[in-house]
Amino acid sequence: MAAESMQAPADGIVLVDTHTHLNDAQFQAEGEAAAAIRRAHAAGVMRLINMGDTMDSSALAVRLAETYEGVYAGVGIHPEEARPMTQADDDQIARWAAQPEVVCIGEIGLDYHWVKDEEKRTEQRAIFIHQLDLARQLHLPVCVHDREAHGDTLAILKKEGQGIRGVLHCYSGSWETAQEFLKLGWFLGVDGPLTFKKAAKLPDIVRQMPLGRLLVETDAPYMAPVPKRGQRNEPAFVRFVAEKAAQLRGLTLAEVAAQTTANAHALYGI
Ligand code: NI
């Protein structure tokens, strides 16, 4: 990218969108991903991490990371896409992991909201554990998707997560469960739902948790924060999530931006 496009905006706010999907089909039209990255820079979002869902979308995340400065990739298989992984998959993930732009195994985890079938859930757990093993071997942190599977996610991370660091992305559990994850040393990621009127427990969790464990993210193209709710989400909008977190904590946006950016650096080395 041209150097001038990498300059932070005049107000000096610098943010990281730690979980996004410019590798999604909604950004594949000619120039769409590049335009979203330019708008992100204009909003002070100087770095972002595209997460893989499948081997194909992981490959695309890696390609975007190779192409654009400040763009990084997570590689892995999402629970909704869970299927037995082959040796060839493991080898490919290991090759990606050797690239400096690849900063985590993600997104991986459990999704019991969309997947009700017990056999499929058993398969999800096996593939989650397998990818935790890969992360440990490859010395990478992980980005965990946990939807309506808080108990099993916590149990698996307690038992199989030793020596692994990571984040519970788009955190949707209780404060009690959050404390368990925090005790294990995990980060919590928050996105659009924090800004929703019916945000339930999340604002209280953001108020109470250590700011040193908070990450901000968009999960674009989904779940755009207020005031963009209902639109296609994109990395620039992570600023609205950070603003909401600042309001909840009684801090300035600059303070929350500085801390969450330091947190992204601490976890992902970016
Ligand atoms: Ni995601």
Side-chain angles (χ1 to χ4, degrees):
M1 295 231 84
E4 65 268 28
S5 73
M6 284 297 288
Q7 275 169 13
D11 67 6
I13 303 294
V14 172
L15 290 155
V16 183
D17 182 357
T18 55
H19 185 120
T20 194
H21 300 278
L22 293 181
N23 47 344
D24 186 273
Q26 292 192 41
F27 290 102
Q28 292 329 299
E30 184 68 34
E32 279 292 302
I37 292 166
R38 275 197 303 277
R39 289 191 296 273
H41 290 165
V45 183
M46 307 313 282
R47 278 163 288 192
L48 58 94
I49 308 173
N50 289 309
M51 295 291 168
D53 297 305
T54 60
M55 293 303 283
D56 285 347
S57 81
S58 296
L60 188 46
V62 173
R63 242 182 357 260
L64 287 165
E66 289 166 342
T67 307
Y68 298 102
E69 201 182 322
V71 174
Y72 300 87
V75 293
I77 295 181
H78 188 285
E80 283 175 62
E81 308 285 347
R83 54 154 180 81
M85 292 177 71
T86 64
Q87 186 60 48
D89 294 330
D90 291 0
D91 293 346
Q92 179 60 68
I93 286 178
R95 278 195 298 277
W96 283 329
Q99 297 188 224
E101 309 86 8
V102 175
V103 296
C104 72
I105 302 298
E107 59 181 290
I108 64 174
L110 303 176
D111 192 311
Y112 293 174
H113 176 79
W114 294 112
V115 178
K116 307 287 182 203
D117 180 72
E118 270 314 317
E119 246 170 73
K120 289 261 177 211
R121 288 180 174 184
T122 303
E123 189 171 51
Q124 282 189 8
R125 290 191 289 273
I127 289 152
F128 182 28
I129 292 167
H130 178 73
Q131 293 184 97
L132 289 173
D133 280 337
L134 284 178
R136 189 182 297 103
Q137 287 163 29
L138 299 168
H139 307 289
L140 283 179
V142 300
C143 178
V144 172
H145 171 108
D146 160 20
R147 188 149 185 217
E148 293 172 24
H150 311 312
D152 281 356
T153 300
L154 181 60
I156 286 173
L157 292 182
K158 267 187 180 161
K159 184 155 177 270
E160 314 281 349
Q162 283 110 1
I164 302 173
R165 307 175 69 221
V167 57
L168 274 298
H169 123 79
C170 196
Y171 186 72
S172 58
S174 67
W175 171 234
E176 288 67 34
T177 308
Q179 287 171 289
E180 295 288 318
F181 287 124
L182 291 166
K183 234 186 286 168
L184 294 175
W186 286 69
F187 289 77
L188 303 181
V190 296
D191 28 35
L194 182 67
T195 69
F196 297 172
K197 244 198 181 126
K198 288 187 180 159
K201 313 159 255 186
L202 197 53
D204 274 335
I205 293 170
V206 168
R207 259 186 224 111
Q208 295 178 79
M209 67 178 287
L211 195 60
R213 298 287 190 79
L214 180 70
L215 295 177
V216 288
E217 52 182 49
T218 59
D219 210 11
Y222 306 104
M223 291 192 299
V226 174
K228 304 288 184 182
R229 195 169 182 186
Q231 296 180 27
R232 182 185 71 177
N233 199 0
E234 62 174 62
F237 299 168
V238 80
R239 197 172 163 118
F240 299 113
V241 178
E243 275 171 357
K244 183 69 189 183
Q247 184 199 324
L248 290 166
R249 299 283 303 212
L251 296 171
T252 63
L253 174 60
E255 287 166 325
V256 166
Q259 183 63 57
T260 55
T261 295
N263 296 345
H265 179 77
L267 179 61
Y268 289 127
I270 63 171

